[in-house]
């Protein structure tokens, strides 16, 4: 079974804190407004796929890092199609970014391309520092919406609130995200530790930037009165209450899935986990579904970007990988359990039970707020840590 490790590199976060000092506000829009412009993407307007394949074969191999073990399946398919040895390595995004930065500085590059879930580090550090570059295949450009081109969005995945369908046959026992802050659910939410999971931290900062109105409305719907808080926003109040309600923190989505949906489970728990873990229903006989109808969202979507190492030793093979992952043939291995390709012509293959409306049920990461995510990460980490202690 493919598993994704979740150990964060504190050294990289420290670098991020120095490069982009965090503010105490949760503002994504204001941070984005002052963002330094990204280097423009490289576009082969007259790209010849046949010529690219031939050049890639001369280079002989390509090494790609990804936070998901799904990259191993992509590598097998790539090699089978083109006869070029591709190695796909599962590595946490912070560790990948740190390794690529060090290799770039030492002029000793081994990683040719990478798939990044941490858009903040990509747009705030790696691309502006010249460590990575964005390449868009000319023959696919018209299939990739403009907002997905820089950085290049390969696909979107999701993390959702899920429950055990055997223990709760009538549906998810949680109807509102504020329910998870009530004493009834103390110690019964299982989630990854945000301090070791950049996508969860980004969800928190994005929620503070763009989700306050919906959270206030959800509070009003649940309690019948307006939210009153001493915090600067409804998002911060929800995050604080969530942390104070003693969620069980893990280092992997696999552990969350086991705690919630395993056949032997006897205690009703809610898991905040990647939709990729719904494969356990078939693979392990788990009983899991997303909390359909949960107010104001069932979970959040997050982007995964494709980038090429600027000093790649196999630049044509790296470009060919990007072309492959932007096609249905390549990306299907990453969105097999649910997800949306950055190529508008590639339709979703499946969605996990309970997530029937990707657009309407999820809180969506706004790419305009990626730099704000990076700038506010340390402040959000400190906020979580203080309230958790």
């Amino acid at each position: 079974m493919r598993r994704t490790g979740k150990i964060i590199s504190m050294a990289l976060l420290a670098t991020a804190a120095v490069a982009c000092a965090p503010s105490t506000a949760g503002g994504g829009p204001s941070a984005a407004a002052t963002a330094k412009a990204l280097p423009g993407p490289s576009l082969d307007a007259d790209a010849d796929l046949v010529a690219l394949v031939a050049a890639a074969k001369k280079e002989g191999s390509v090494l790609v890092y990804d936070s998901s073990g799904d990259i191993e399946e992509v590598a097998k398919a790539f090699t089978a199609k083109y006869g070029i040895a591709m190695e796909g390595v599962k590595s946490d995004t912070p560790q990948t970014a740190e390794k690529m930065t060090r290799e770039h500085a030492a002029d000793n590059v081994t990683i040719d391309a990478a798939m990044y879930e941490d858009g903040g580090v990509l747009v705030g550090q790696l691309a502006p520092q010249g460590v990575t570059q964005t390449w868009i295949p000319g023959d696919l450009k018209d299939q990739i919406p403009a907002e997905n081109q820089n950085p290049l969005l390969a696909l979107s995945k999701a993390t959702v609130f899920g429950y055990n369908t055997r223990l709760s046959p009538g549906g998810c026992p949680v109807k509102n995200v504020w329910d998870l802050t009530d004493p009834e659910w103390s110690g019964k939410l299982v989630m990854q530790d945000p301090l070791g999971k950049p996508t969860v931290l980004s969800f928190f900062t994005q929620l503070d930037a763009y989700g306050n109105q919906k959270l206030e409305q959800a509070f009003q719907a649940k309690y019948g009165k307006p939210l009153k808080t001493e915090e600067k926003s409804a998002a911060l109040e929800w995050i604080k209450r969530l942390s104070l309600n003693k969620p069980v923190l893990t280092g992997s989505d696999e552990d969350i899935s086991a705690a919630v949906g395993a056949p032997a489970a006897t205690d009703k728990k809610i898991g905040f986990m990647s939709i990729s873990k719904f494969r356990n229903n078939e693979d392990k006989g788990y009983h899991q579904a997303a909390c359909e109808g949960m107010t104001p969202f069932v979970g959040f979507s997050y982007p995964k970007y494709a980038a090429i190492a600027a000093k790649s030793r196999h630049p044509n093979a790296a470009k060919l990988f990007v072309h492959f992952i932007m096609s249905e043939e390549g990306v299907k291995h990453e969105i097999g359990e649910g997800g949306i390709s950055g190529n508008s012509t590639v339709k979703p293959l499946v969605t996990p039970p309970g997530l029937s409306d990707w657009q309407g049920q999820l809180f969506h990461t706004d790419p305009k707020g990626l730099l704000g995510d990076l700038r506010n990460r340390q402040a959000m980490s400190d906020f979580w840590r203080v309230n958790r202690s």
Side-chain angles (χ1 to χ4, degrees):
M1 179 60 61
R2 295 163 292 184
R3 298 187 61 183
T4 303
K6 303 297 177 185
I7 304 171
I8 198 164
S9 168
M10 295 310 294
L12 183 64
L13 285 183
T15 302
V18 172
C20 298
S23 69
T24 56
S30 60
T34 59
K36 179 181 178 181
L38 281 176
S42 172
L43 172 67
D44 286 352
D46 300 319
D48 183 338
L49 184 57
V50 174
L52 180 61
V53 172
K57 285 185 175 181
K58 289 181 180 180
E59 293 171 352
S61 66
V62 63
L63 175 62
V64 181
Y65 273 41
D66 189 349
S67 59
S68 170
D70 293 331
I71 193 64
E72 297 170 9
E73 299 301 317
V74 176
K76 291 177 184 178
F78 180 91
T79 298
K81 180 176 179 64
Y82 295 114
I84 300 168
M86 173 179 166
E87 182 181 1
V89 175
K90 185 183 73 173
S91 171
D92 289 339
T93 300
Q95 294 173 333
T96 299
E98 187 170 22
K99 180 175 174 62
M100 291 189 76
T101 300
R102 289 176 176 175
E103 289 187 353
H104 180 83
D107 285 326
N108 184 25
V109 172
T110 64
I111 303 173
D112 297 301
M115 301 283 281
Y116 284 103
E117 290 181 352
D118 193 342
V121 166
L122 182 60
V123 304
Q125 291 182 267
L126 299 179
Q129 293 172 6
V131 176
T132 63
Q133 61 182 3
T134 296
W135 178 79
I136 300 174
D139 58 333
L140 299 181
K141 182 177 183 296
D142 291 341
Q143 301 174 15
I144 303 171
E147 62 271 20
N148 293 350
Q149 293 186 11
N150 193 28
L152 181 61
L153 178 68
L155 68 149
S156 295
K157 297 288 283 185
T159 293
V160 298
F161 294 105
Y163 71 102
N164 187 305
T165 55
R166 181 177 59 84
L167 298 178
S168 300
C172 183
V174 172
K175 308 300 182 184
N176 190 307
V177 296
W178 289 98
D179 292 349
L180 295 169
T181 69
D182 286 345
E184 175 186 359
W185 289 97
S186 178
K188 295 185 178 182
L189 170 66
V190 189
M191 61 183 291
Q192 285 214 44
D193 187 346
L195 301 181
K197 183 66 173 174
T199 55
V200 175
L201 276 180
S202 293
F203 166 57
F204 286 169
T205 56
Q206 287 260 330
L207 199 60
D208 190 25
Y210 305 108
N212 288 303
Q213 183 177 6
K214 287 188 175 181
L215 283 173
E216 290 170 0
Q217 292 170 347
F219 185 94
Q220 176 81 41
K222 174 177 170 59
Y223 296 108
K225 60 182 180 181
L227 171 67
K228 292 184 179 181
T229 175
E230 295 181 357
E231 300 300 334
K232 294 181 178 179
S233 68
L236 290 177
E237 180 64 28
W238 180 73
I239 293 165
K240 179 177 72 174
R241 293 191 188 191
L242 197 71
S243 64
L244 291 173
N245 214 29
K246 301 178 181 178
V248 178
L249 304 181
T250 76
S252 77
D253 286 315
E254 189 67 27
D255 291 340
I256 301 171
S257 180
V260 173
T266 58
D267 189 18
K268 292 182 181 180
K269 294 184 182 296
I270 300 296
F272 196 39
M273 58 185 167
S274 168
I275 57 175
S276 66
K277 294 307 163 185
F278 285 85
R279 68 164 68 103
N280 286 336
N281 287 2
E282 180 178 351
D283 293 347
K284 297 184 176 182
Y286 282 16
H287 308 277
Q288 304 172 130
C291 287
E292 188 168 11
M294 193 170 178
T295 301
F297 44 74
V298 176
F300 70 96
S301 71
Y302 58 89
K304 180 178 282 191
Y305 299 103
I308 294 175
K311 297 180 181 179
S312 167
R313 295 178 181 177
H314 310 101
N316 292 297
K319 289 179 179 180
L320 187 59
F321 161 75
V322 171
H323 191 286
F324 188 61
I325 203 67
M326 295 306 299
S327 70
E328 180 174 359
E329 188 176 4
V331 80
K332 68 181 181 181
H333 303 285
E334 292 261 1
I335 62 175
E337 289 75 32
I340 303 293
S341 171
N343 183 329
S344 62
T345 68
V346 178
K347 304 305 179 185
L349 301 180
V350 297
T351 54
L355 185 59
S356 57
D357 181 4
W358 181 277
Q359 187 60 38
Q361 290 178 273
L362 298 172
F363 176 87
H364 298 281
T365 297
D366 190 327
K368 296 190 298 295
L370 292 176
L371 187 62
D373 294 340
L374 181 63
R375 287 177 169 169
N376 292 310
R377 180 172 301 173
Q378 190 60 52
M380 186 62 74
S381 297
D382 292 343
F383 183 78
W384 175 269
R385 186 182 293 108
V386 167
N387 286 291
R388 174 73 180 169
S389 61

